[in-house]
Amino acid sequence: MSFNKKGFTLIELLIVVVIIGILAAIAIPKFANTKDKAKLASVKTDLRNLQSTEEAKLSDNQVYSSTTADFQLSAGNSLTALTADSTGYSATITNGTISTGTKSCHVNVGSAAAADPTKDGTIICP
């Protein structure tokens, strides 16, 4: 009498589960901070958009504006500082929902960048 054994043994199934667990343990930390990177990218994008808005205001009115009535921030971002005069402006945008790392970026343009003119208009995320 011959038995035809088909299927996997319990040991083989356990080995497969262990291998999948090890692969998951390696992969999950690699993608854990992906959300924070995307949120920081939205902060940088909002600063670039703010720069475009300020340059448009300068072109129309020959002065930078310290109001943001016509500027919409991305979800989760907040404009924590904006100072402007006729020759320059400084702005800082923060995202409080970022769990690790840098949460804010700033930009200085014109007279606001007088301390370091090489960074005039450069978005800086410390």
Side-chain angles (χ1 to χ4, degrees), residues 61-90:
N61 306 322
Q62 288 68 47
V63 66
Y64 291 109
S65 174
S66 59
T67 62
T68 59
D70 56 346
F71 183 72
Q72 181 84 23
L73 290 167
S74 299
N77 292 347
S78 60
L79 184 63
T80 54
L82 175 62
T83 56
D85 59 23
S86 61
T87 60
Y89 65 93
S90 175

Side-chain angles (χ1 to χ4, degrees), residues 81-105:
L82 175 62
T83 56
D85 59 23
S86 61
T87 60
Y89 65 93
S90 175
T92 302
I93 295 180
T94 303
N95 186 317
T97 63
I98 296 175
S99 57
T100 59
T102 302
K103 296 184 178 198
S104 67
C105 298

Side-chain angles (χ1 to χ4, degrees), residues 14-104:
L14 287 174
I15 290 172
V16 169
V17 169
V18 168
I19 290 171
I20 290 172
I22 291 170
L23 292 174
I26 292 170
I28 288 173
K30 297 248 182 221
F31 299 110
N33 63 354
T34 303
K35 275 186 164 181
D36 286 344
K37 287 180 182 178
K39 290 175 184 178
L40 188 61
S42 77
V43 169
K44 292 177 184 179
T45 300
D46 280 351
L47 271 174
R48 284 188 204 100
N49 292 339
L50 180 67
Q51 282 180 299
S52 297
T53 302
E54 288 292 336
E55 294 305 320
K57 289 178 183 177
L58 178 68
S59 177
D60 292 344
N61 306 322
Q62 288 68 47
V63 66
Y64 291 109
S65 174
S66 59
T67 62
T68 59
D70 56 346
F71 183 72
Q72 181 84 23
L73 290 167
S74 299
N77 292 347
S78 60
L79 184 63
T80 54
L82 175 62
T83 56
D85 59 23
S86 61
T87 60
Y89 65 93
S90 175
T92 302
I93 295 180
T94 303
N95 186 317
T97 63
I98 296 175
S99 57
T100 59
T102 302
K103 296 184 178 198
S104 67

Side-chain angles (χ1 to χ4, degrees), residues 109-124:
V109 175
S111 61
D116 190 357
T118 62
K119 295 183 179 170
D120 187 6
T122 303
I123 295 173
I124 301 168

